[in-house]
Protein backbone atom coordinates (compact mmCIF):
# COMPACT_ATOMS: atom_id res chain seq x y z
CA UNK A 1 0.00 0.00 0.00
CA UNK A 2 2.81 2.39 0.85
CA UNK A 3 4.38 1.66 -2.53
CA UNK A 4 1.23 2.87 -4.29
CA UNK A 5 1.15 6.19 -2.45
CA UNK A 6 4.84 6.84 -2.96
CA UNK A 7 4.34 6.69 -6.73
CA UNK A 8 3.96 9.94 -8.65
CA UNK A 9 1.02 10.11 -11.06
CA UNK A 10 0.61 12.21 -14.20
CA UNK A 11 -3.02 13.28 -13.92
CA UNK A 12 -5.62 14.40 -16.45
CA UNK A 13 -8.61 16.34 -15.15
CA UNK A 14 -11.69 15.42 -17.18
CA UNK A 15 -14.73 17.75 -17.23
CA UNK A 16 -18.00 17.28 -19.15
CA UNK A 17 -21.33 19.09 -19.48
CA UNK A 18 -24.33 18.40 -21.72
CA UNK A 19 -27.81 19.89 -22.11
CA UNK A 20 -28.86 16.62 -23.73
CA UNK A 21 -28.20 14.76 -20.47
CA UNK A 22 -30.12 17.32 -18.43
CA UNK A 23 -26.89 18.58 -16.84
CA UNK A 24 -27.84 22.16 -17.62
CA UNK A 25 -31.03 23.16 -15.85
CA UNK A 26 -32.37 26.02 -13.82
CA UNK A 27 -31.16 26.73 -10.32
CA UNK A 28 -28.65 24.82 -8.24
CA UNK A 29 -28.03 21.96 -10.68
CA UNK A 30 -26.82 24.34 -13.37
CA UNK A 31 -24.33 25.91 -10.97
CA UNK A 32 -23.27 22.56 -9.54
CA UNK A 33 -22.57 20.97 -12.90
CA UNK A 34 -20.96 23.97 -14.59
CA UNK A 35 -17.51 23.46 -16.07
CA UNK A 36 -15.98 26.09 -13.77
CA UNK A 37 -17.53 24.44 -10.71
CA UNK A 38 -16.25 20.99 -11.72
CA UNK A 39 -12.76 22.36 -12.32
CA UNK A 40 -12.70 24.23 -9.01
CA UNK A 41 -13.85 21.17 -7.05
CA UNK A 42 -11.23 18.90 -8.67
CA UNK A 43 -8.43 21.43 -8.12
CA UNK A 44 -9.40 21.84 -4.44
CA UNK A 45 -9.25 18.08 -4.04
CA UNK A 46 -5.85 17.80 -5.73
CA UNK A 47 -4.26 20.32 -3.38
CA UNK A 48 -4.17 17.56 -0.76
CA UNK A 49 -2.98 14.90 -3.25
CA UNK A 50 0.78 15.47 -3.42
CA UNK A 51 1.32 12.29 -5.45
CA UNK A 52 -0.63 13.64 -8.47
CA UNK A 53 0.77 16.17 -10.93
CA UNK A 54 -1.78 17.59 -13.39
CA UNK A 55 -0.47 17.45 -16.97
CA UNK A 56 -3.70 18.19 -18.85
CA UNK A 57 -7.28 19.41 -18.46
CA UNK A 58 -9.74 17.90 -20.92
CA UNK A 59 -13.16 19.55 -21.40
CA UNK A 60 -16.07 18.13 -23.45
CA UNK A 61 -18.67 20.90 -23.27
CA UNK A 62 -21.93 19.95 -24.97
CA UNK A 63 -21.26 16.21 -25.40
CA UNK A 64 -23.58 13.51 -24.06
CA UNK A 65 -22.32 11.06 -21.48
CA UNK A 66 -23.92 8.15 -23.33
CA UNK A 67 -21.46 8.27 -26.22
CA UNK A 68 -17.72 7.95 -25.46
CA UNK A 69 -16.70 9.18 -28.89
CA UNK A 70 -16.04 12.67 -27.50
CA UNK A 71 -13.06 14.64 -28.90
CA UNK A 72 -11.38 15.57 -25.61
CA UNK A 73 -12.09 12.18 -24.07
CA UNK A 74 -10.45 10.50 -27.05
CA UNK A 75 -7.48 12.91 -26.80
CA UNK A 76 -7.11 11.91 -23.13
CA UNK A 77 -7.20 8.22 -24.07
CA UNK A 78 -4.45 8.85 -26.63
CA UNK A 79 -2.33 10.45 -23.91
CA UNK A 80 -2.95 7.37 -21.77
CA UNK A 81 -1.86 5.02 -24.55
CA UNK A 82 1.20 7.21 -25.16
CA UNK A 83 1.96 6.89 -21.43
CA UNK A 84 1.72 10.63 -20.87
CA UNK A 85 -1.16 10.16 -18.41
CA UNK A 86 -1.73 7.43 -15.85
CA UNK A 87 -4.38 9.04 -13.62
CA UNK A 88 -7.86 10.38 -14.48
CA UNK A 89 -9.77 12.64 -12.09
CA UNK A 90 -13.47 13.55 -12.45
CA UNK A 91 -15.98 15.29 -10.22
CA UNK A 92 -18.21 12.20 -10.16
CA UNK A 93 -19.01 9.12 -12.22
CA UNK A 94 -21.77 10.89 -14.18
CA UNK A 95 -19.17 13.38 -15.55
CA UNK A 96 -17.14 10.45 -16.85
CA UNK A 97 -20.15 8.87 -18.55
CA UNK A 98 -23.77 7.82 -18.25
CA UNK A 99 -23.56 4.50 -20.06
CA UNK A 100 -23.57 1.79 -17.37
CA UNK A 101 -21.86 -0.85 -19.50
CA UNK A 102 -19.21 1.43 -21.01
CA UNK A 103 -18.32 3.13 -17.70
CA UNK A 104 -17.93 -0.29 -16.09
CA UNK A 105 -15.75 -1.47 -18.99
CA UNK A 106 -13.35 1.45 -18.57
CA UNK A 107 -13.17 1.27 -14.76
CA UNK A 108 -12.97 -2.53 -14.42
CA UNK A 109 -11.06 -3.55 -17.56
CA UNK A 110 -9.46 -0.86 -19.72
CA UNK A 111 -7.94 1.35 -17.01
CA UNK A 112 -6.53 -1.55 -14.93
CA UNK A 113 -4.94 -3.07 -18.05
CA UNK A 114 -3.38 0.30 -18.96
CA UNK A 115 -2.29 0.90 -15.38
CA UNK A 116 -4.45 3.98 -14.93
CA UNK A 117 -5.62 5.25 -11.57
CA UNK A 118 -9.21 6.54 -11.66
CA UNK A 119 -10.71 8.98 -9.13
CA UNK A 120 -14.38 10.08 -8.87
CA UNK A 121 -14.32 12.62 -6.04
CA UNK A 122 -17.98 13.01 -5.03
CA UNK A 123 -18.55 9.26 -5.30
CA UNK A 124 -15.60 8.67 -2.94
CA UNK A 125 -14.01 6.33 -5.46
CA UNK A 126 -10.25 5.87 -5.94
CA UNK A 127 -9.16 2.78 -7.85
CA UNK A 128 -6.00 2.32 -5.71
CA UNK A 129 -8.13 2.16 -2.57
CA UNK A 130 -8.78 -1.48 -1.71
CA UNK A 131 -11.82 -0.48 0.35
CA UNK A 132 -13.78 0.57 -2.75
CA UNK A 133 -17.16 -1.13 -2.88
CA UNK A 134 -17.62 -2.60 -6.35
CA UNK A 135 -21.32 -3.07 -5.64
CA UNK A 136 -21.80 0.60 -4.71
CA UNK A 137 -19.84 1.77 -7.77
CA UNK A 138 -21.80 -0.51 -10.07
CA UNK A 139 -25.04 0.69 -8.49
CA UNK A 140 -24.10 4.35 -9.02
CA UNK A 141 -23.22 3.65 -12.66
CA UNK A 142 -26.56 1.91 -13.08
CA UNK A 143 -28.35 4.90 -11.52
CA UNK A 144 -26.56 7.28 -13.93
CA UNK A 145 -27.46 5.08 -16.89
CA UNK A 146 -31.07 4.81 -15.70
CA UNK A 147 -31.23 8.58 -15.28
CA UNK A 148 -30.21 9.30 -18.86
CA UNK A 149 -32.54 6.57 -20.16
CA UNK A 150 -35.52 8.05 -18.28
CA UNK A 151 -34.56 11.55 -19.43
CA UNK A 152 -34.34 10.33 -23.03
CA UNK A 153 -37.83 8.80 -22.79
CA UNK A 154 -39.24 12.04 -21.37
CA UNK A 155 -37.62 14.15 -24.10
CA UNK A 156 -38.85 11.82 -26.84
CA UNK A 157 -42.38 11.81 -25.38
CA UNK A 158 -42.39 15.58 -25.09
CA UNK A 159 -41.21 16.01 -28.70
CA UNK A 160 -43.80 13.51 -29.96
CA UNK A 161 -46.59 15.33 -28.09
CA UNK A 162 -45.51 18.65 -29.59
CA UNK A 163 -45.34 17.17 -33.10
CA UNK A 164 -48.82 15.67 -32.78
CA UNK A 165 -50.13 19.09 -31.78
CA UNK A 166 -48.58 20.52 -34.94
CA UNK A 167 -45.71 22.36 -33.25
CA UNK A 168 -42.45 22.67 -35.19
CA UNK A 169 -39.61 21.02 -33.26
CA UNK A 170 -36.70 21.47 -35.68
CA UNK A 171 -33.65 23.61 -35.08
CA UNK A 172 -34.02 25.54 -38.35
CA UNK A 173 -37.10 26.38 -40.40
CA UNK A 174 -37.11 25.20 -44.01
CA UNK A 175 -36.31 27.73 -46.75
CA UNK A 176 -39.43 29.83 -47.29
CA UNK A 177 -40.33 29.96 -43.60
CA UNK A 178 -38.90 31.23 -40.34
CA UNK A 179 -39.74 30.61 -36.71
CA UNK A 180 -42.20 32.99 -35.12
CA UNK A 181 -40.50 35.39 -32.72
CA UNK A 182 -43.26 34.90 -30.15
CA UNK A 183 -43.71 31.14 -30.57
CA UNK A 184 -40.73 29.06 -31.70
CA UNK A 185 -43.02 26.12 -32.43
CA UNK A 186 -44.90 28.09 -35.09
CA UNK A 187 -43.70 28.60 -38.66
CA UNK A 188 -44.40 31.91 -40.41
CA UNK A 189 -43.83 32.77 -44.06
CA UNK A 190 -40.59 34.49 -45.08
CA UNK A 191 -42.01 36.58 -47.92
CA UNK A 192 -38.83 36.92 -49.96
CA UNK A 193 -37.90 33.22 -49.84
CA UNK A 194 -41.56 32.26 -50.34
CA UNK A 195 -41.53 34.22 -53.60
CA UNK A 196 -38.56 32.16 -54.79
CA UNK A 197 -40.40 28.95 -53.80
CA UNK A 198 -43.43 30.00 -55.88
CA UNK A 199 -41.15 30.80 -58.84
CA UNK A 200 -39.58 27.33 -58.60
CA UNK A 201 -42.98 25.60 -58.67
CA UNK A 202 -44.19 27.80 -61.52
CA UNK A 203 -41.05 27.08 -63.55
CA UNK A 204 -41.55 23.36 -63.00
CA UNK A 205 -45.19 23.60 -64.06
CA UNK A 206 -43.95 25.38 -67.18
CA UNK A 207 -41.81 22.38 -68.10
CA UNK A 208 -38.35 23.38 -66.90
CA UNK A 209 -36.05 20.65 -65.55
CA UNK A 210 -34.61 20.96 -62.00
CA UNK A 211 -31.18 21.64 -63.48
CA UNK A 212 -32.52 24.42 -65.71
CA UNK A 213 -34.36 25.96 -62.75
CA UNK A 214 -31.15 25.91 -60.67
CA UNK A 215 -29.20 27.56 -63.52
CA UNK A 216 -31.81 30.30 -63.87
CA UNK A 217 -31.74 31.04 -60.13
CA UNK A 218 -27.93 31.19 -60.13
CA UNK A 219 -27.95 33.45 -63.23
CA UNK A 220 -30.45 35.71 -61.44
CA UNK A 221 -28.07 35.91 -58.44
CA UNK A 222 -30.66 34.46 -56.07
CA UNK A 223 -28.90 33.20 -52.93
CA UNK A 224 -29.17 29.45 -52.34
CA UNK A 225 -31.08 28.37 -49.18
CA UNK A 226 -27.87 27.92 -47.17
CA UNK A 227 -26.32 31.22 -48.25
CA UNK A 228 -29.62 32.99 -47.64
CA UNK A 229 -29.85 31.63 -44.08
CA UNK A 230 -26.24 32.63 -43.44
CA UNK A 231 -26.97 36.15 -44.74
CA UNK A 232 -29.88 36.32 -42.29
CA UNK A 233 -27.51 35.58 -39.39
CA UNK A 234 -28.42 31.91 -38.88
CA UNK A 235 -25.62 29.50 -37.91
CA UNK A 236 -26.81 26.89 -40.41
CA UNK A 237 -24.74 23.92 -41.59
CA UNK A 238 -25.58 21.14 -44.04
CA UNK A 239 -23.87 18.07 -45.49
CA UNK A 240 -25.16 19.06 -48.96
CA UNK A 241 -22.65 21.92 -49.29
CA UNK A 242 -19.75 20.88 -51.55
CA UNK A 243 -18.29 24.25 -52.62
CA UNK A 244 -16.95 27.23 -50.68
CA UNK A 245 -20.09 29.15 -51.61
CA UNK A 246 -23.26 27.08 -51.88
CA UNK A 247 -25.10 27.50 -55.17
CA UNK A 248 -28.45 26.31 -56.42
CA UNK A 249 -28.29 22.74 -57.74
CA UNK A 250 -30.77 20.31 -59.26
CA UNK A 251 -30.85 18.33 -56.01
CA UNK A 252 -31.79 21.44 -54.02
CA UNK A 253 -34.64 22.18 -56.42
CA UNK A 254 -35.87 18.58 -56.26
CA UNK A 255 -35.94 18.64 -52.44
CA UNK A 256 -38.03 21.82 -52.53
CA UNK A 257 -40.43 20.45 -55.15
CA UNK A 258 -40.95 17.31 -53.07
CA UNK A 259 -41.42 19.05 -49.71
CA UNK A 260 -45.05 18.87 -48.56
CA UNK A 261 -44.32 21.53 -45.94
CA UNK A 262 -45.07 24.22 -48.54
CA UNK A 263 -48.75 23.14 -48.66
CA UNK A 264 -49.27 23.84 -44.94
CA UNK A 265 -48.60 20.24 -43.86
CA UNK A 266 -46.02 19.52 -41.16
CA UNK A 267 -44.43 16.05 -41.38
CA UNK A 268 -41.93 15.38 -38.59
CA UNK A 269 -40.18 12.45 -36.96
CA UNK A 270 -38.90 11.07 -40.26
CA UNK A 271 -35.52 10.24 -38.74
CA UNK A 272 -34.36 9.31 -35.26
CA UNK A 273 -32.09 7.13 -33.13
CA UNK A 274 -33.19 3.65 -31.96
CA UNK A 275 -32.44 4.51 -28.31
CA UNK A 276 -30.44 6.89 -26.11
CA UNK A 277 -27.24 4.84 -26.44
CA UNK A 278 -27.11 4.85 -30.24
CA UNK A 279 -26.48 8.25 -31.84
CA UNK A 280 -26.63 7.08 -35.46
CA UNK A 281 -29.71 8.59 -37.16
CA UNK A 282 -31.96 6.18 -39.06
CA UNK A 283 -34.87 6.81 -41.43
CA UNK A 284 -38.13 5.64 -39.83
CA UNK A 285 -40.93 3.76 -41.57
CA UNK A 286 -43.37 6.12 -43.24
CA UNK A 287 -46.18 4.86 -41.00
CA UNK A 288 -44.27 6.20 -37.97
CA UNK A 289 -43.95 9.74 -39.33
CA UNK A 290 -46.05 12.34 -37.49
CA UNK A 291 -48.23 14.34 -39.85
CA UNK A 292 -50.24 17.45 -38.95
CA UNK A 293 -52.36 19.34 -41.49
CA UNK A 294 -52.93 23.10 -41.69
CA UNK A 295 -50.30 23.96 -39.07
CA UNK A 296 -49.01 27.03 -40.90
CA UNK A 297 -49.73 29.21 -43.90
CA UNK A 298 -49.28 27.41 -47.21
CA UNK A 299 -46.98 28.84 -49.87
CA UNK A 300 -48.05 26.43 -52.62
CA UNK A 301 -51.59 25.38 -53.53
CA UNK A 302 -52.14 21.68 -52.67
CA UNK A 303 -53.47 20.87 -56.15
CA UNK A 304 -50.45 22.41 -57.88
CA UNK A 305 -48.15 20.51 -55.50
CA UNK A 306 -49.91 17.20 -56.22
CA UNK A 307 -49.80 17.91 -59.95
CA UNK A 308 -46.03 18.31 -59.87
CA UNK A 309 -45.60 15.11 -57.82
CA UNK A 310 -47.71 13.21 -60.36
CA UNK A 311 -45.66 14.47 -63.30
CA UNK A 312 -42.29 13.94 -61.59
CA UNK A 313 -43.15 10.30 -60.83
CA UNK A 314 -43.70 9.53 -64.50
CA UNK A 315 -41.06 8.67 -67.02
CA UNK A 316 -40.30 11.78 -69.06
CA UNK A 317 -37.69 12.09 -71.75
CA UNK A 318 -35.95 15.42 -72.13
CA UNK A 319 -35.00 17.17 -75.39
CA UNK A 320 -31.33 16.98 -76.42
CA UNK A 321 -30.76 20.41 -74.81
CA UNK A 322 -31.70 18.87 -71.43
CA UNK A 323 -33.13 22.21 -70.31
CA UNK A 324 -36.78 21.19 -70.19
CA UNK A 325 -39.33 18.49 -70.87
CA UNK A 326 -41.30 17.80 -74.04
CA UNK A 327 -44.58 19.73 -74.14
CA UNK A 328 -46.69 16.64 -73.36
CA UNK A 329 -43.94 14.59 -71.70
CA UNK A 330 -45.25 12.14 -69.11
CA UNK A 331 -48.82 12.43 -70.44
CA UNK A 332 -48.86 10.37 -73.67
CA UNK A 333 -49.62 6.64 -73.39
CA UNK A 334 -50.52 3.81 -75.71
CA UNK A 335 -54.25 3.11 -75.50
CA UNK A 336 -53.68 -0.61 -76.12
CA UNK A 337 -50.86 -1.66 -73.78
CA UNK A 338 -50.79 1.36 -71.46
CA UNK A 339 -47.05 2.00 -71.87
CA UNK A 340 -45.65 5.50 -72.61
CA UNK A 341 -45.38 6.68 -76.20
CA UNK A 342 -41.84 7.63 -77.28
CA UNK A 343 -40.94 10.92 -78.96
CA UNK A 344 -39.12 10.31 -82.28
CA UNK A 345 -37.74 12.55 -85.03
CA UNK A 346 -37.34 11.48 -88.65
CA UNK A 347 -35.23 13.79 -90.81
CA UNK A 348 -35.87 14.04 -94.55
CA UNK A 349 -33.24 14.19 -97.24
CA UNK A 350 -31.66 17.51 -98.23
CA UNK A 351 -32.08 18.50 -101.86
CA UNK A 352 -29.13 20.85 -101.63
CA UNK A 353 -26.08 20.86 -99.38
CA UNK A 354 -27.04 24.02 -97.46
CA UNK A 355 -30.73 23.09 -97.04
CA UNK A 356 -32.22 22.52 -93.61
CA UNK A 357 -33.72 19.02 -93.73
CA UNK A 358 -37.43 18.64 -93.08
CA UNK A 359 -38.32 16.92 -89.84
CA UNK A 360 -41.23 14.60 -89.17
CA UNK A 361 -41.86 14.41 -85.42
CA UNK A 362 -44.06 11.61 -84.16
CA UNK A 363 -44.86 9.37 -81.18
CA UNK A 364 -44.70 5.59 -81.26
CA UNK A 365 -45.59 2.93 -78.67
CA UNK A 366 -42.66 2.11 -76.39
CA UNK A 367 -43.54 -1.60 -76.28
CA UNK A 368 -43.51 -1.89 -80.07
CA UNK A 369 -40.26 0.06 -80.39
CA UNK A 370 -38.33 -1.96 -77.78
CA UNK A 371 -39.64 -5.54 -77.98
CA UNK A 372 -41.85 -5.45 -81.10
CA UNK A 373 -44.93 -6.09 -78.96
CA UNK A 374 -48.24 -4.22 -79.25
CA UNK A 375 -49.08 -2.60 -82.60
CA UNK A 376 -46.86 -0.22 -84.51
CA UNK A 377 -49.33 2.67 -84.44
CA UNK A 378 -47.90 6.15 -84.32
CA UNK A 379 -49.19 9.69 -84.44
CA UNK A 380 -47.76 12.91 -85.82
CA UNK A 381 -46.81 15.47 -83.16
CA UNK A 382 -48.64 18.19 -85.09
CA UNK A 383 -51.85 16.18 -85.30
CA UNK A 384 -51.55 15.32 -81.61
CA UNK A 385 -50.92 18.91 -80.48
CA UNK A 386 -53.72 20.35 -82.64
CA UNK A 387 -56.23 17.78 -81.40
CA UNK A 388 -55.27 18.11 -77.73
CA UNK A 389 -55.40 21.92 -77.90
CA UNK A 390 -58.85 21.83 -79.48
CA UNK A 391 -60.19 19.30 -76.97
CA UNK A 392 -58.65 21.10 -73.97
CA UNK A 393 -60.20 24.43 -74.97
CA UNK A 394 -63.59 22.70 -75.29
CA UNK A 395 -63.13 21.06 -71.87
CA UNK A 396 -62.28 24.40 -70.21
CA UNK A 397 -65.28 26.08 -71.83
CA UNK A 398 -67.56 23.22 -70.67
CA UNK A 399 -66.42 23.52 -67.06
CA UNK A 400 -66.94 27.30 -67.03
CA UNK A 401 -70.40 26.88 -68.60
CA UNK A 402 -71.30 24.36 -65.90
CA UNK A 403 -70.13 26.82 -63.25
CA UNK A 404 -72.53 29.43 -64.67
CA UNK A 405 -75.38 26.91 -64.48
CA UNK A 406 -74.51 26.01 -60.89
CA UNK A 407 -74.83 29.66 -59.93
CA UNK A 408 -78.48 29.65 -60.99
CA UNK A 409 -79.85 26.44 -59.44
CA UNK A 410 -80.90 25.25 -55.98
CA UNK A 411 -77.66 24.09 -54.29
CA UNK A 412 -79.48 22.27 -51.46
CA UNK A 413 -81.34 20.08 -53.93
CA UNK A 414 -78.12 19.38 -55.79
CA UNK A 415 -76.46 18.44 -52.50
CA UNK A 416 -79.17 15.85 -51.81
CA UNK A 417 -78.54 14.22 -55.17
CA UNK A 418 -74.77 14.13 -54.55
CA UNK A 419 -75.30 12.59 -51.09
CA UNK A 420 -77.43 9.84 -52.60
CA UNK A 421 -74.71 9.13 -55.13
CA UNK A 422 -72.06 8.99 -52.40
CA UNK A 423 -74.24 6.59 -50.38
CA UNK A 424 -74.44 4.34 -53.43
CA UNK A 425 -70.62 4.40 -53.73
CA UNK A 426 -70.26 3.61 -50.00
CA UNK A 427 -72.67 0.68 -50.28
CA UNK A 428 -70.71 -0.71 -53.22
CA UNK A 429 -67.40 -0.45 -51.33
CA UNK A 430 -68.94 -2.04 -48.21
CA UNK A 431 -69.97 -5.03 -50.34
CA UNK A 432 -66.40 -5.23 -51.72
CA UNK A 433 -65.08 -5.10 -48.16
CA UNK A 434 -67.34 -7.92 -46.95
CA UNK A 435 -66.49 -10.05 -49.98
CA UNK A 436 -62.73 -9.60 -49.49
CA UNK A 437 -63.04 -10.43 -45.76
CA UNK A 438 -65.04 -13.54 -46.59
CA UNK A 439 -62.49 -14.71 -49.16
CA UNK A 440 -59.65 -14.04 -46.70
CA UNK A 441 -61.37 -16.24 -44.12
CA UNK A 442 -61.87 -18.96 -46.74
CA UNK A 443 -58.21 -19.17 -47.75
CA UNK A 444 -57.24 -19.75 -44.11
CA UNK A 445 -59.50 -22.77 -44.02
CA UNK A 446 -57.94 -23.97 -47.30
CA UNK A 447 -54.48 -23.51 -45.76
CA UNK A 448 -55.43 -25.53 -42.68
CA UNK A 449 -56.84 -28.30 -44.90
CA UNK A 450 -53.64 -28.43 -46.96
CA UNK A 451 -55.24 -27.17 -50.17
CA UNK A 452 -52.91 -24.14 -50.18
CA UNK A 453 -49.25 -24.18 -49.19
CA UNK A 454 -47.81 -21.43 -46.98
CA UNK A 455 -46.45 -19.35 -49.87
CA UNK A 456 -49.77 -19.40 -51.73
CA UNK A 457 -51.64 -18.56 -48.53
CA UNK A 458 -49.38 -15.59 -47.73
CA UNK A 459 -49.67 -14.26 -51.29
CA UNK A 460 -53.48 -14.45 -51.31
CA UNK A 461 -53.67 -13.07 -47.77
CA UNK A 462 -51.64 -10.01 -48.82
CA UNK A 463 -53.86 -9.48 -51.86
CA UNK A 464 -57.08 -9.63 -49.83
CA UNK A 465 -55.62 -7.39 -47.11
CA UNK A 466 -54.81 -4.81 -49.79
CA UNK A 467 -58.37 -5.02 -51.13
CA UNK A 468 -59.77 -4.54 -47.63
CA UNK A 469 -57.56 -1.51 -46.96
CA UNK A 470 -58.42 0.05 -50.33
CA UNK A 471 -62.15 -0.40 -49.67
CA UNK A 472 -61.83 1.10 -46.16
CA UNK A 473 -59.88 4.07 -47.55
CA UNK A 474 -62.48 4.68 -50.26
CA UNK A 475 -65.34 4.52 -47.71
CA UNK A 476 -63.49 7.01 -45.52
CA UNK A 477 -63.05 9.42 -48.45
CA UNK A 478 -66.73 9.16 -49.43
CA UNK A 479 -67.79 9.83 -45.83
CA UNK A 480 -65.51 12.87 -45.77
CA UNK A 481 -67.23 14.17 -48.89
CA UNK A 482 -70.62 13.65 -47.23
CA UNK A 483 -69.51 15.58 -44.16
CA UNK A 484 -68.28 18.45 -46.33
CA UNK A 485 -71.63 18.59 -48.10
CA UNK A 486 -73.46 18.52 -44.76
CA UNK A 487 -71.31 21.34 -43.36
CA UNK A 488 -71.62 23.48 -46.46
CA UNK A 489 -75.22 23.85 -47.62
CA UNK A 490 -74.14 26.23 -50.40
CA UNK A 491 -70.95 24.59 -51.71
CA UNK A 492 -68.33 26.32 -53.80
CA UNK A 493 -66.76 24.09 -56.40
CA UNK A 494 -63.24 25.36 -55.72
CA UNK A 495 -61.61 23.18 -58.36
CA UNK A 496 -63.44 25.17 -61.04
CA UNK A 497 -61.44 28.26 -60.04
CA UNK A 498 -58.34 26.79 -61.71
CA UNK A 499 -60.07 26.98 -65.10
CA UNK A 500 -60.74 30.73 -65.02
CA UNK A 501 -57.06 31.58 -65.53
CA UNK A 502 -57.11 29.64 -68.83
CA UNK A 503 -60.42 30.92 -70.16
CA UNK A 504 -58.67 32.59 -73.11
CA UNK A 505 -56.05 29.92 -73.83
CA UNK A 506 -54.28 31.01 -77.03
CA UNK A 507 -51.95 28.03 -77.46
CA UNK A 508 -51.20 24.67 -75.93
CA UNK A 509 -48.77 25.15 -73.01
CA UNK A 510 -46.99 22.72 -70.74
CA UNK A 511 -48.56 24.37 -67.69
CA UNK A 512 -52.16 24.01 -68.92
CA UNK A 513 -51.52 20.45 -70.11
CA UNK A 514 -50.16 19.09 -66.80
CA UNK A 515 -52.78 20.93 -64.72
CA UNK A 516 -55.85 19.70 -66.60
CA UNK A 517 -54.74 16.46 -68.29
CA UNK A 518 -54.01 13.24 -66.41
CA UNK A 519 -53.07 11.24 -69.49
CA UNK A 520 -53.59 11.08 -73.26
CA UNK A 521 -54.32 7.64 -74.74
CA UNK A 522 -53.34 7.01 -78.36
CA UNK A 523 -55.05 4.28 -80.41
CA UNK A 524 -54.67 3.14 -84.00
CA UNK A 525 -56.01 5.40 -86.72
CA UNK A 526 -54.94 8.56 -84.83
CA UNK A 527 -57.78 8.06 -82.35
CA UNK A 528 -57.16 10.05 -79.15
CA UNK A 529 -58.80 9.78 -75.74
CA UNK A 530 -58.03 12.34 -73.02
CA UNK A 531 -58.45 11.69 -69.30
CA UNK A 532 -58.80 14.97 -67.43
CA UNK A 533 -57.65 15.59 -63.86
CA UNK A 534 -61.10 16.87 -62.86
CA UNK A 535 -62.95 14.52 -65.19
CA UNK A 536 -64.69 12.55 -62.42
CA UNK A 537 -65.83 15.72 -60.61
CA UNK A 538 -67.26 17.15 -63.84
CA UNK A 539 -68.99 13.86 -64.63
CA UNK A 540 -70.59 13.74 -61.16
CA UNK A 541 -71.90 17.28 -61.44
CA UNK A 542 -73.28 16.70 -64.94
CA UNK A 543 -75.07 13.57 -63.71
CA UNK A 544 -76.48 15.48 -60.74
CA UNK A 545 -77.66 18.29 -63.02
CA UNK A 546 -79.30 15.73 -65.33
CA UNK A 547 -81.01 14.06 -62.36
CA UNK A 548 -82.15 17.46 -61.07
CA UNK A 549 -83.60 18.34 -64.49
CA UNK A 550 -85.49 15.03 -64.61
CA UNK A 551 -86.86 15.61 -61.12
CA UNK A 552 -88.20 19.05 -62.12
CA UNK A 553 -89.76 17.60 -65.28
CA UNK A 554 -91.66 15.05 -63.21
Amino acid sequence: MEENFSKKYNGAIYLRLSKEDGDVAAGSRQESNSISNQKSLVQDYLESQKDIEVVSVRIDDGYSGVDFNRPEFQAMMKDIRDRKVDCVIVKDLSRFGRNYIEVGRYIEKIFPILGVRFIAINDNYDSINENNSEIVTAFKNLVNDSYIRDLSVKIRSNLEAKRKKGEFTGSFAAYGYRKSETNKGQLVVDEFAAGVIRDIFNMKLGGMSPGAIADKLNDSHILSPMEYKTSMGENFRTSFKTNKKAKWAAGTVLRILGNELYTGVLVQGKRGTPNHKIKRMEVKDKKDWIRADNTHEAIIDKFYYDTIQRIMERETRRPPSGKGIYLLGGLIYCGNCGKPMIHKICKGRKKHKDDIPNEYVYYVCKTNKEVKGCSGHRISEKVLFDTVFKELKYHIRTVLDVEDVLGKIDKVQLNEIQVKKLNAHILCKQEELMKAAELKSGIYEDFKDGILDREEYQSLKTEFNNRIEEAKEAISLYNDEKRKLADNKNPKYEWMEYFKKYKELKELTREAAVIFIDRILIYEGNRIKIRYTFGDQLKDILECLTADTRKEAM
Side-chain angles (χ1 to χ4, degrees), residues 68-269:
F68 279 77
N69 190 26
R70 311 170 214 143
E72 289 296 287
F73 181 85
Q74 292 301 323
M76 180 179 72
M77 290 304 299
K78 185 178 185 303
D79 287 345
I80 290 172
R81 293 187 183 94
D82 292 342
R83 301 193 179 280
K84 295 176 182 178
V85 169
D86 57 3
C87 180
V88 175
I89 311 100
V90 295
K91 174 195 167 190
D92 56 45
L93 290 167
S94 70
R95 298 306 90 213
F96 185 70
R98 289 189 184 274
N99 186 321
Y100 166 65
I101 295 174
E102 283 298 297
V103 171
R105 192 166 71 90
Y106 274 96
I107 294 175
E108 296 172 16
K109 292 184 178 179
I110 297 176
F111 283 169
I113 291 173
L114 295 174
V116 175
R117 178 182 177 185
F118 179 73
I119 301 171
I121 299 168
N122 282 357
D123 292 313
N124 198 29
Y125 180 88
D126 188 335
S127 61
I128 66 169
N129 188 346
E130 295 179 355
N131 295 322
N132 288 320
S133 171
E134 292 183 4
I135 295 176
V136 172
T137 303
F139 177 72
K140 287 182 177 180
N141 282 333
L142 186 58
V143 168
N144 287 328
D145 187 275
S146 177
Y147 170 79
I148 192 64
R149 184 184 66 247
D150 292 344
L151 184 65
S152 174
V153 170
K154 288 176 183 176
I155 292 172
R156 286 169 186 256
S157 298
N158 184 43
L159 285 174
E160 185 173 348
K162 285 185 175 182
R163 288 165 179 164
K164 286 181 177 179
K165 287 193 296 183
E167 294 183 31
F168 179 71
T169 60
S171 300
F172 297 94
Y175 182 71
Y177 291 98
R178 54 185 173 81
K179 290 184 180 182
S180 168
E181 293 181 2
T182 57
N183 178 8
K184 297 302 181 183
Q186 178 64 47
L187 295 177
V188 294
V189 173
D190 179 333
E191 289 301 336
F192 175 80
V196 178
I197 294 294
R198 294 186 189 101
D199 289 343
I200 289 172
F201 276 83
N202 287 332
M203 284 188 276
K204 183 58 187 171
L205 277 174
M208 291 179 69
S209 67
I213 294 172
D215 290 342
K216 184 172 179 61
L217 292 170
N218 286 325
D219 291 343
S220 302
H221 304 292
I222 303 294
L223 291 177
S224 68
M226 181 174 180
E227 296 299 333
Y228 179 73
K229 287 180 182 293
T230 302
S231 72
M232 299 298 287
E234 295 186 36
N235 186 24
F236 181 72
R237 296 288 182 272
T238 176
S239 59
F240 294 115
K241 183 176 179 180
T242 55
N243 298 314
K244 188 174 182 180
K245 182 177 180 181
K247 291 188 174 183
W248 285 96
T252 311
V253 173
L254 281 171
R255 283 192 293 276
I256 287 173
L257 291 172
N259 194 342
E260 202 174 1
L261 180 79
Y262 298 117
T263 66
V265 176
L266 195 56
V267 182
Q268 300 184 101

Side-chain angles (χ1 to χ4, degrees), residues 407-472:
K408 301 171 185 176
I409 65 172
D410 183 358
K411 300 293 194 308
V412 175
Q413 198 172 44
L414 189 64
N415 270 8
E416 291 174 357
I417 296 170
Q418 286 182 292
V419 169
K420 286 181 181 178
K421 188 165 185 178
L422 287 169
N423 284 334
H425 286 320
I426 290 171
L427 183 61
C428 180
K429 289 298 176 182
Q430 286 174 337
E431 289 175 356
E432 288 181 19
L433 181 63
M434 291 173 62
K435 183 67 175 177
E438 184 182 335
L439 290 170
K440 180 182 173 183
S441 176
I443 63 168
Y444 179 70
E445 295 299 323
D446 290 343
F447 173 61
K448 284 203 314 183
D449 295 340
I451 299 173
L452 296 173
D453 61 29
R454 181 172 293 278
E455 186 177 343
E456 291 171 329
Y457 167 69
Q458 291 295 344
S459 175
L460 288 170
K461 181 183 175 183
T462 300
E463 181 183 340
F464 291 132
N465 280 337
N466 289 338
R467 289 188 194 179
I468 290 169
E469 288 304 313
E470 287 172 5
K472 286 180 178 178

